[in-house]
Amino acid sequence: MATKNKDKKVDSAASTAPAKTKSKKEKSAQKNPLGGKRLAAARAAVVIGKQYQLSEAIKLVKDNAKAKFDETVEIAINLGIDLEATDQAVRGVVPMPKGLGKKVTVAVFANDPNKIKDAKSAGADIIGAEDLVEKINSGKIEFDVCIASPDMMPMVSKVAKVLGPRGLMPNPKVGTVTPDVAKAVKSAKAGQVEFRSEKGGVVHAGIGKASFAEKDLEENIKAFAQAIKAAKPASLKGIYIKKVTLSSTMGPGVPVDVQSLLAA
């Protein structure tokens, strides 16, 4: 009887033991076995420890982008900046020569009739002032880029706490606070990437679609890399660009040789 009781205790302990929590990727693979197999095959195609030439990396990323939608090609650059030094924050904006392959919705804060006219002619989707503040505060954020003329910034500051965390707050450093709203709207519509160093000193951005031609992706990537290079903090000592990785939305990262990335 004692043995049976021990067995029951063991069984009881086993039944009440917490189940191992599965990762999101494991859950996704379980729900979609074919997707899991595709990801495994894509990872197997990337040679561990190899630094790929840029052209090789682009081809591999495109080959691995086999989702049912047009995946975004993304770049992640690890910088050797001092995260504690405020003067080493890296930030800027760069136009993509071949665009981004998606529609960009632009909102403009303007009150002046001439500014409103300029914004409309440039293709702005949303133009407003106090009414735009009300929309944003109500949760209606239906745009990808927000531009403002300098005189509108006191009004824009009313929604800073809403736009700031979303990376949508107009900023003169990236050209979204400007008296030339028409030029800013055209640049945003044509496809530009705003970048800034995040946790760990990483700069991350989408620079096109997997459906783009390899040469078009290469042109966009090099434009982005040159913008990062130009934004190097003057006080930085040591290696600036430490690591570069390319990937598609659903694909594995492909390490890129830094020199091939920066080559003209």
Side-chain angles (χ1 to χ4, degrees):
M1 291 295 289
T3 304
K4 288 182 180 180
N5 288 337
K6 285 182 180 180
D7 290 341
K8 284 182 180 180
K9 287 180 181 179
V10 171
D11 292 341
S12 176
S15 64
T16 57
K20 184 181 178 182
T21 303
K22 293 181 179 179
S23 68
K24 288 183 179 179
K25 288 185 178 179
E26 286 175 327
K27 289 178 181 177
S28 177
Q30 199 172 43
K31 290 179 182 178
N32 184 5
L34 292 177
K37 289 179 180 178
R38 278 199 297 265
L39 182 58
R43 283 177 175 162
V46 180
V47 179
I48 297 173
K50 179 176 179 178
Q51 299 292 309
Y52 288 82
Q53 295 295 299
L54 180 58
S55 57
E56 288 182 296
I58 292 170
K59 185 178 186 308
L60 188 53
V61 167
K62 279 176 62 67
D63 288 346
N64 283 338
K66 297 179 180 178
K68 293 181 180 179
F69 60 93
D70 194 5
E71 297 181 50
T72 297
V73 176
E74 302 170 357
I75 187 169
I77 301 180
N78 292 64
L79 303 176
I81 57 176
D82 182 353
L83 301 177
E84 301 298 323
T86 55
D87 65 338
Q88 289 195 18
V90 174
R91 185 170 189 176
V93 63
V94 55
M96 291 289 99
K98 298 302 180 180
L100 291 172
K102 67 176 183 178
K103 180 185 176 183
V104 179
T105 303
V106 179
V108 175
F109 274 96
N111 237 342
D112 181 271
N114 291 326
K115 291 282 193 298
I116 293 172
K117 183 181 177 181
D118 290 345
K120 280 183 179 178
S121 63
D125 302 280
I126 303 167
I127 304 170
E130 197 67 55
D131 57 327
L132 186 50
V133 169
E134 290 176 8
K135 280 185 180 179
I136 292 170
N137 278 329
S138 69
K140 292 183 180 178
I141 304 173
E142 302 167 331
F143 50 85
D144 304 301
V145 178
C146 187
I147 294 165
S149 55
D151 60 297
M152 295 300 291
M153 287 311 292
M155 186 175 292
V156 179
S157 65
K158 295 178 182 179
V159 289
K161 290 183 179 180
V162 180
L163 298 181
R166 293 172 171 80
L168 294 172
M169 186 67 182
N171 190 314
K173 291 182 179 179
V174 295
T176 48
V177 177
T178 173
D180 193 346
V181 293
K183 181 181 178 181
V185 170
K186 287 177 182 176
S187 295
K189 283 286 187 180
Q192 64 181 17
V193 173
E194 182 180 340
F195 61 86
R196 61 179 172 180
S197 49
E198 300 172 353
K199 291 181 179 180
V202 177
V203 175
H204 177 269
I207 44 75
K209 294 290 183 179
S211 60
F212 281 21
E214 289 177 24
K215 286 187 177 181
D216 290 347
L217 283 172
E218 183 169 348
E219 195 170 337
N220 277 359
I221 292 166
K222 285 196 170 185
F224 184 80
Q226 289 302 322
I228 296 294
K229 183 180 178 182
K232 180 181 177 180
S235 62
L236 178 70
K237 295 179 180 179
I239 299 173
Y240 177 44
I241 298 178
K242 298 172 70 176
K243 179 182 175 183
V244 179
T245 306
L246 279 185
S247 65
S248 62
T249 307
M250 304 297 288
V254 179
V256 180
D257 177 76
V258 175
Q259 294 307 313
S260 72
L261 177 71
L262 299 177

